[in-house]
Amino acid sequence: MKSITVSDLVRQFRLEVLAGENQLDRKITKARAHRPGLEFVGYFDFFPMERVQVLGRKEITYLHRQTEEERNLHIGNIVKYHPPCFIVTANQEGLKYLMKYCDQEQIPLLRTAETTTEFIARLDAYLMKALAPEIAVHGVCVNVSGIGILLRGKSGVGKSETAHTLIRRGHRLVADDMVVLKKLSPTTLLGTHNNTNREFLALRSIGLINVSRLYGRKAFQDETRISLDIELTQWREDELNNELDWVEKTVEYMDVKVPHIEIQLQPGRDVAGLIEAAANNWYLRQQGYSAMEEFMQRIQQEQ
């Protein structure tokens, strides 16, 4: 199971550590934060104790208004479950009683200046990506007109060279050679780099280039949702390459289905242009338009 540590959150969001400084190596394994509400009144049947607990103005104001005895009871009921950490938002103060319990139970107590809504939105997005199941795939990931594409094919087939042509046409590189795929949901794959290959593109006969330095920041982006899987293959003369009887094909990565297209290579063929056409055609299909359906309708009307 993937995990991050509380110290990762401290660095990512520049959080202030109020208590439990020696426990920042505690592991976080569940995405999405939790705001304890019912737990303060003693209802724990569905308490997600493995999640980060966020205390906003509503929760802290409620605790402030309790008697010391009530407060000790409510906080004690929660800390005994040892969640990974507590994060107080909006730079709220008067937290000595909370610090006492967190120190006793060795649970990190953190604080941010951000509002509760804004912080939870950013925290959930970060946790979802950081804890998402992932695999590494040999290929190239590009963003073409806002559409994420995974280019695959045998070594030397021309994936990186094709990506370079797309970059020259104003599109963006995400990762070359090794693409990291993260499963964000049953229908969503995110393509990104592995940090080591960030911004780098390897071109045969040329060597390694940094696309951001060569073509500017617009030539690169950190991640993209994968919408198309395109495999580059050698031209096969004995095959009938007639796409009028085209049926959508898919491939699966971590049980997520992605539309798949095979583009056969031949000298003089504008592969980058075909990829642009495939991306734009995919977008039109998402809008409900199919060129094939319109074509068949025209044939039926002529009969």
Side-chain angles (χ1 to χ4, degrees):
M1 179 181 294
K2 289 190 66 178
S3 66
I4 61 172
T5 64
V6 175
S7 61
D8 292 325
L9 293 188
V10 173
R11 288 191 297 268
Q12 178 70 23
F13 297 98
R14 298 181 180 179
L15 301 173
E16 179 185 3
V17 181
L18 302 178
E21 188 171 0
N22 62 341
Q23 294 295 316
L24 298 183
D25 59 348
R26 290 170 65 95
K27 291 185 177 181
I28 300 170
T29 60
K30 297 293 184 181
R32 300 192 180 280
H34 175 67
R35 295 182 68 178
L38 290 175
E39 291 79 14
F40 280 142
V41 294
Y43 186 77
F44 288 91
D45 285 2
F46 300 99
F47 179 44
M49 65 187 73
E50 306 92 346
R51 295 186 183 181
V52 173
Q53 306 296 312
V54 177
L55 303 175
R57 288 190 181 278
K58 180 174 63 176
E59 291 80 17
I60 295 299
T61 300
Y62 173 79
L63 290 175
H64 283 348
R65 291 176 178 174
Q66 303 302 300
T67 65
E68 183 176 355
E69 183 179 353
E70 291 172 333
R71 196 160 53 210
N72 291 342
L73 175 63
H74 296 155
I75 298 173
N77 283 339
I78 291 181
V79 297
K80 70 181 181 181
Y81 287 95
H82 291 88
C85 65
F86 290 97
I87 303 178
V88 177
T89 60
N91 265 347
Q92 296 175 88
E93 298 181 348
L95 306 174
K96 288 186 178 180
Y97 58 87
L98 195 54
M99 294 167 62
K100 180 188 72 173
Y101 270 98
C102 287
D103 275 331
Q104 287 177 356
E105 298 294 333
Q106 296 190 324
I107 301 172
L109 175 62
L110 315 171
R111 183 164 62 184
T112 177
E114 290 189 66
T115 64
T116 308
T117 302
E118 292 175 351
F119 178 72
I120 287 181
R122 292 211 305 136
L123 177 61
D124 282 350
Y126 170 77
L127 290 175
M128 185 174 294
K129 291 178 184 178
L131 298 175
E134 66 178 49
I135 58 173
V137 176
H138 176 67
V140 179
C141 185
V142 289
N143 184 282
V144 177
S145 300
I147 298 165
I149 296 176
L150 178 62
L151 290 178
R152 295 186 298 109
K154 292 183 179 180
S155 181
V157 77
K159 300 182 295 296
S160 298
E161 290 81 357
T162 300
H164 180 256
T165 302
L166 289 168
I167 292 168
R168 292 293 305 274
R169 293 185 180 186
H171 306 297
R172 296 177 176 181
L173 173 72
V174 176
D176 179 45
D177 189 47
M178 189 64 65
V179 181
V180 177
L181 298 179
K182 293 176 176 283
K183 181 181 178 179
L184 300 187
S185 78
T187 59
T188 305
L189 277 181
L190 190 73
T192 186
H193 49 79
N194 63 5
N195 288 318
T196 303
N197 63 350
R198 187 178 189 271
E199 301 176 315
F200 288 124
L201 183 66
L203 299 175
R204 293 179 185 274
S205 303
I206 303 298
L208 210 59
I209 67 171
N210 185 309
V211 298
S212 294
R213 291 181 177 270
L214 205 59
Y215 299 114
R217 289 298 307 163
K218 66 179 182 180
F220 172 80
Q221 71 180 57
D222 271 310
E223 58 192 30
T224 186
R225 177 176 177 176
I226 301 298
S227 300
L228 277 175
D229 176 273
I230 297 180
E231 183 179 7
L232 303 183
T233 63
Q234 295 296 337
W235 185 269
R236 298 186 293 275
E237 292 288 350
D238 58 340
E239 285 196 8
L240 178 64
N241 297 285
N242 182 2
E243 299 302 324
L244 291 181
D245 56 358
W246 181 79
V247 177
E248 184 176 78
K249 299 177 181 178
T250 62
V251 294
E252 290 190 8
Y253 298 100
M254 295 179 288
D255 298 322
V256 179
K257 291 185 178 181
V258 180
H260 169 76
I261 297 173
E262 179 185 346
I263 295 181
Q264 294 187 14
L265 307 179
Q266 193 178 44
R269 206 169 191 214
D270 182 9
V271 179
L274 292 174
I275 291 174
E276 289 177 320
N280 291 329
N281 195 49
W282 176 88
Y283 176 78
L284 287 175
R285 290 177 68 85
Q286 304 313 298
Q287 304 303 307
Y289 172 79
S290 169
M292 176 62 71
E293 291 179 3
E294 183 180 2
F295 180 70
M296 296 304 296
Q297 289 174 0
R298 290 185 184 182
I299 292 177
Q300 293 174 358
Q301 290 171 358
E302 292 177 357
Q303 292 177 349

